[in-house]
Each structure stands twice: as structure tokens, then as C-alpha cells.
Amino acid sequence: MYNHFALFHSIKELETEFEVSFPSISKHSIYSPSQTVLTISDNKELKASLMRWGLIPYWARHEGVGNKMAYARAETIETKRSFKFLLQKNRCIIPASCFYKWRQTKNGTKHPYKIELLHQEIMAFAGLWDTWKNLETNQTIYSCTIITSSTSGLTLNRAPVLLTEGNRQAWLDSSITNQQQLMSLLKPIEKNSFILQKINHHNSNETDLFSTI
DNA sequence: CCAGACGTTGTT
DNA sequence: GTCTGG
DNA sequence: CCAGACGTTGTT
DNA sequence: GTCTGG
């Protein structure tokens, strides 16, 4: 329960926020890499869909390659083999309500925290997606990765890049291909716009993850 | 040139 | 002890 | 990052 | 498929 994020906003709230209709989601509301998550992308048309979290590049020989690609560093996506071509056309947003991080306290003990926006607004993680074809089953798998950046003042090393409301449309507009413009949309999360809350983790069922200590 | 990787996290 | 899966 | 597994044979 | 390391 580190790399995880959660989505507890309702489908209705998501549809209003992003102005697209969403498929009904599975019973899960806390997600970890390799699970299926909700995304919004502009693949010919703007739409919401389900994708595997953990990007499987189209050239991958095995699906397992995706286990390594849950995250993509914003600073280097323009040069990395697995991501550089996706920045042009395969951008997406992964909606979330909060994410979880471990944090070390002064005495050296570690504790998990939940990070939310001040008024529990919906977060829009910046992401990239790709398709991969399983040659045995002939099935095409859609998968995605979450872009991360450094954080200023949150005392977390890395965090997902959150697209501001003003930046979301451009990020999803597949007619935009200017790399400099696209990269300018990826800003580290802002200081003082977040709530960090200690959470339970030893009896970590979903209810506990949403509750604070 | 070919073979092998293709990634991130946080910690040392 | 070290790697993998979530 | 932490928690949990850490393996192979041959058969379905 | 494409880049990097040797």
C-alpha cells in the first residue's frame, strides 16, 4: 500500500468534472500497479476507458514488462524509449481522489499517509498510454503509466503530476504535438494545496485506508 | 557493429 | 537475504 | 515504497 | 521498434 491511489468520487461527479461518460467501474476503489484503472484519453475522440496500470509498450514480448512501468518521470519522458513517442499522441488523465505515500518521521519510523486536495477535489493525474497485443489470445491490452515529478514542500520525494483545470484540455487534445508546450503542462504539485493525513495500515482494509488516525 | 534493455522508487 | 507483485 | 514469496516436475 | 553499452 504505497504506490496506491484511490478513487471514491462517484461516476456522476467524474462525468460532471471531465464532461465524458464513464464506464461503470469494478468493485475496487483502491488501485495498485497491474490493476485496471479509469482513464480519459483522446484516441480519435475524447472518452473514458479502463486500462491496466503499468504500461506495456507495444513492442513488449511479455505482458510482464508492464510491471516495471507504473510511473514515468516527467523530467525524462522526452528521451526514454518506452515513453517518448507516447507524449505526442497517447496522453491520458487518470482521475483519483487521493494517493498514498510512506513517510519517515524524525525518530526514523515509517508511516503511511493519505494525500488529498484541500477540499477533496478530484485529482487529474497526467498519464501516457499504449496498446499491446497478446499474440496468443489475439487480445489488445490498453495500459497506462502515471507521470511523476518532484514535490516542493510536501516532504515527499515524488508525486504524481496533477493537471490543473486549465491544463487538462490541452493535455487531452491530440492535435497538440508541440513537446515544449506539452511539457509546460507538467508542473510539480503546489505547496499548501494538499492535506496529508496519517492513516492506519496494519489492518489495511479499504475502510481503514480512507480513515485517518 | 550486435545484444540486450527498454523503468521508478528512495537510499547509500 | 533478495526479488517480485501490488 | 512495503509485504510476501522465495520451486520444479509433469499432467490437465 | 529503437536506443545504449560493450
Side-chain angles (χ1 to χ4, degrees), chain A residues 24-41:
Chain A
S24 51
I25 347 175
S26 64
K27 53 190 181 306
H28 289 105
S29 52
I30 297 192
Y31 303 97
S32 48
S34 81
Q35 294 184 322
T36 302
V37 300
L38 267 175
T39 61
I40 306 155
S41 57

Side-chain angles (χ1 to χ4, degrees), chain A residues 68-91:
Chain A
K68 297 178 179 177
M69 311 223 188
Y71 294 103
R73 291 177 69 89
E75 297 90 330
T76 54
I77 50 175
E78 288 175 287
T79 57
K80 294 294 178 179
R81 292 195 276 289
S82 299
F83 307 135
K84 58 190 296 185
F85 301 105
L86 304 178
L87 182 62
Q88 299 293 326
K89 283 281 178 188
N90 290 18
R91 300 182 296 275

Side-chain angles (χ1 to χ4, degrees), chain A residues 88-204:
Chain A
Q88 299 293 326
K89 283 281 178 188
N90 290 18
R91 300 182 296 275
C92 65
I93 282 177
I94 296 118
S97 304
C98 64
F99 59 91
Y100 301 94
K101 293 284 285 187
W102 287 81
R103 207 178 165 211
Q104 203 160 14
T105 45
K106 290 169 194 169
N107 59 26
T109 57
K110 288 181 178 178
H111 207 93
Y113 283 77
K114 174 170 82 170
I115 297 95
E116 290 178 293
L117 287 170
L118 281 185
H119 305 291
Q120 287 84 45
E121 296 97 327
I122 298 171
M123 295 173 163
F125 294 167
L128 300 172
W129 62 275
D130 204 348
T131 57
W132 177 78
K133 194 167 186 179
N134 183 329
L135 295 176
E136 290 176 4
T137 63
N138 225 32
Q139 187 183 23
T140 297
I141 296 180
Y142 287 76
S143 61
C144 64
T145 186
I146 294 172
I147 299 175
T148 65
S149 70
S150 60
T151 63
S152 55
L154 262 184
T155 58
L156 306 169
N157 286 306
R158 308 284 302 177
V161 169
L162 302 190
L163 294 166
T164 62
E165 288 200 42
N167 284 344
R168 294 175 194 176
Q169 196 192 344
W171 183 252
L172 291 180
D173 183 347
S174 60
S175 69
I176 296 176
T177 55
N178 182 295
Q179 289 211 9
Q180 200 181 352
Q181 183 184 357
L182 292 168
M183 292 302 289
S184 74
L185 305 174
L186 305 177
K187 305 244 180 56
I189 60 179
E190 281 177 41
K191 216 172 180 174
N192 302 328
S193 54
F194 293 86
I195 316 170
L196 268 77
Q197 293 165 291
K198 250 187 182 179
I199 56 166
N200 291 307
H201 71 291
H202 280 303
N203 46 351
S204 59

